[in-house]
Amino acid sequence: MSSSTFNNSISITVSDEESDELGRMRVRVRRKRKKHQGHRIKNDLGQRVLRILLKYWMVLIFLPAAGLLVFEASRIGKKPSLYSNSVHHGTTIPDLKINQGTGESKIKENLDRLDPPRCLKLLPHEELQHLDIPIHDEFSSPVKNVTYISEKDPQHGGGNSTLSRLRAEGTRFNLFTGDQTFDQRERSFKVNQTAEIHCGFYSENGGFKISDKDKNYMQTCMVVVSTCAFGGGDDLYQPIGMSETSLQKVCYVAFWDEITLAAQESRGRRINEDHFIGKWRIVVVRDLPFTDQRLNGKIPKMLAHRLFSYAKYSIWVDSKSQFRRDPLGVLEALLWRSNYVLAISQHGARSSVYEEATAVVKKHKATPEEVEVQLTQYRQDGLPEDKRFNGKKL
C-alpha cells in the first residue's frame, strides 16, 4: 500500500485491488448501457415495421395479387407454337422433340383416343357388327292428310314480308317460326283426319334453304348423327369408335352456313367433290332465319324429324363435342334395349326449367320479359314448380 501526504490537504489511500474492482464495475455499467440501448433499438425497429404494415397493408396485398394476375394473363396469352413435321418415304412423321409438350399434339392425341365406356353398357364389338335397326309394325293412324301451313297462306293473313321483317327485328317471330295463336296451338293437339302443322320449311321466304342435292341425300338416311356450326362456329371433330355396320347404315351430317364454310376453307378444311369432310356429310344452309346464331342452331337440333323425314332415329352432337361411340350401340343401350323412344342427358348444373330461365337471363341470352312469357306458358300447361317431374329432372 502506498500513500502520499501533503500539508493542509486530505490524505487519500488507494489500493491496487480497489482500482481493479472499480474498473470491473465500470465495464459492467457500460455493458448494461449497451444492452439497454440494443433493446431500445430493437423495440423501435419493431414498432416502426408494425406501423408501416398497418399503414400500407392494402398495398402489400395488392402487389402480389397484381403480379399473380399478370403472370396468369401472360400464360393464357401465349399461343401454342405450331410443331414441324418431317417427311420420311412419303409419310409425315411428327418431330417428337418439337411436339413434346405442345398443346396441339395433346389435343390430337385426345381426339384419337377411345376411352372405355363408363356410363353406357354397350354390346360387345362382335355383336355390334351384326346389329340391325329394329323395324316396327306400321300402326294405323287416324290422320289421313297433313297440311303444312306458313304465314304466307291467306287463311292466316301473315304474308306481308315487311311485317315479317319488323317482327324479326323486334321479336323472335318471323316467317320461319310463324306467329301461331294459342287457339291454333290448342287445336293442333287434337287428333283429326286432317292435321294442320305450322312449318317454316314450307314458306318461300322462311329461310333455312337447303339445296335439292342435299335434300335427296338426307332422305336416304334411316339413322342420322347430326351437328351444326353457324357464324364461323367451332371446328369439326371427326367421330371415332363406330363399327363397320354403323359406317354403312348411319349418316353423319354437319350443317354449316356460308360464313362457317368460308372460315373452314381459310384454314385448309375443304369439302371434297362428294360434299364430305372425313366422315361428315356437309350440308350448307343459306338464308338463316335468325340473327341470333343460337336460335339458328336450334333448328337442326330440335327439328331433325322435319329435316330427315325418313329417318327412324337421330342423335344430336354439340359442335364442341366429339362423338366417340358406335351410334347403333348407343341407340341399342338407351332406346331399343328398354323400349324407349327418347333419351336425353341430365343437366350438370340445373334441375328445372325455372332455374334454367334464371340462368338464361343472367347470361343475357334473352330478355326477362321474353323469359317470363315462356314461363307463364309453362305454368299454364301444367309444368310443376318443383324440381322433379315423374321423378326426373325437368
Side-chain angles (χ1 to χ4, degrees), residues 27-315:
V27 171
R28 283 197 296 271
V29 171
R30 285 195 298 269
R31 289 177 179 174
K32 287 182 179 181
R33 288 178 180 175
K34 292 181 179 179
K35 188 174 182 180
H36 287 302
Q37 290 176 356
H39 282 297
R40 190 169 12 334
I41 293 172
K42 290 181 179 179
N43 291 336
D44 292 343
L45 181 61
Q47 293 177 1
R48 193 175 303 166
V49 172
L50 182 60
R51 285 196 297 270
I52 293 174
L53 291 176
L54 292 175
K55 187 175 181 180
Y56 299 103
W57 66 272
M58 293 185 66
V59 178
L60 295 176
I61 294 177
F62 174 76
L63 289 177
L68 180 61
L69 181 62
V70 172
F71 173 73
E72 292 294 335
S74 63
R75 289 183 58 190
I76 295 174
K78 289 181 179 178
K79 296 181 178 179
S81 58
L82 296 176
Y83 55 84
S84 63
N85 295 331
S86 7
V87 179
H88 180 65
H89 296 298
T91 305
T92 303
I93 303 174
D95 188 344
L96 298 180
K97 293 183 179 179
I98 300 178
N99 275 346
Q100 187 174 4
T102 60
E104 290 193 1
S105 62
K106 188 175 182 180
I107 292 175
K108 183 66 168 60
E109 179 185 352
N110 291 337
L111 292 177
D112 293 337
R113 186 182 70 244
L114 184 62
D115 299 325
R118 291 171 291 181
C119 301
L120 292 178
K121 295 181 180 179
L122 300 182
L123 295 175
H125 180 72
E126 294 76 13
E127 296 185 34
L128 290 177
Q129 294 288 354
H130 302 89
L131 193 60
D132 291 326
I133 302 173
I135 300 176
H136 300 286
D137 296 334
E138 294 294 334
F139 60 93
S140 177
S141 173
V143 178
K144 304 302 180 182
N145 299 307
V146 178
T147 302
Y148 295 99
I149 59 179
S150 68
E151 293 300 311
K152 188 178 180 180
D153 293 337
Q155 56 181 321
H156 296 285
N160 191 325
S161 60
T162 303
L163 178 61
S164 176
R165 286 197 300 270
L166 292 175
R167 286 176 174 173
E169 293 173 1
T171 68
R172 301 189 178 205
F173 295 113
N174 55 27
L175 286 179
F176 183 84
T177 62
D179 195 1
Q180 188 182 31
T181 65
F182 288 116
D183 291 337
Q184 292 171 348
R185 180 174 179 268
E186 289 296 328
R187 288 199 302 267
S188 68
F189 295 150
K190 298 178 181 179
V191 179
N192 298 308
Q193 288 188 353
T194 300
E196 291 184 350
I197 299 176
H198 284 258
C199 185
F201 297 116
Y202 285 84
S203 173
E204 294 181 2
N205 300 317
F208 210 86
K209 299 300 182 183
I210 298 175
S211 68
D212 292 337
K213 186 174 183 179
D214 291 333
K215 288 181 181 178
N216 293 334
Y217 173 81
M218 294 163 62
Q219 289 178 358
T220 64
C221 299
M222 294 291 292
V223 177
V224 60
V225 177
S226 60
T227 187
C228 78
F230 296 141
D234 303 295
D235 291 337
L236 189 63
Y237 299 112
Q238 292 298 324
I240 59 175
M242 71 289 294
S243 63
E244 291 296 329
T245 302
S246 290
L247 285 176
Q248 298 173 4
K249 298 181 178 181
V250 178
C251 300
Y252 292 89
V253 178
F255 294 94
W256 285 1
D257 63 348
E258 294 170 302
I259 300 176
T260 301
L261 177 63
Q264 295 298 321
E265 287 182 346
S266 66
R267 300 174 189 172
R269 304 184 182 98
R270 296 185 175 276
I271 304 174
N272 63 18
E273 296 179 355
D274 296 329
H275 300 270
F276 277 86
I277 294 182
K279 297 179 178 66
W280 290 102
R281 174 61 158 79
I282 307 300
V283 174
V284 179
V285 182
R286 291 173 172 82
D287 298 331
L288 294 177
F290 301 104
T291 56
D292 189 345
Q293 299 297 355
R294 291 181 299 235
L295 292 179
N296 289 323
K298 294 297 185 294
I299 296 174
K301 180 179 181 179
M302 307 303 295
L303 300 178
H305 58 289
R306 300 284 174 84
L307 290 169
F308 303 93
S309 54
Y310 291 94
K312 299 298 183 183
Y313 302 95
S314 64
I315 300 175

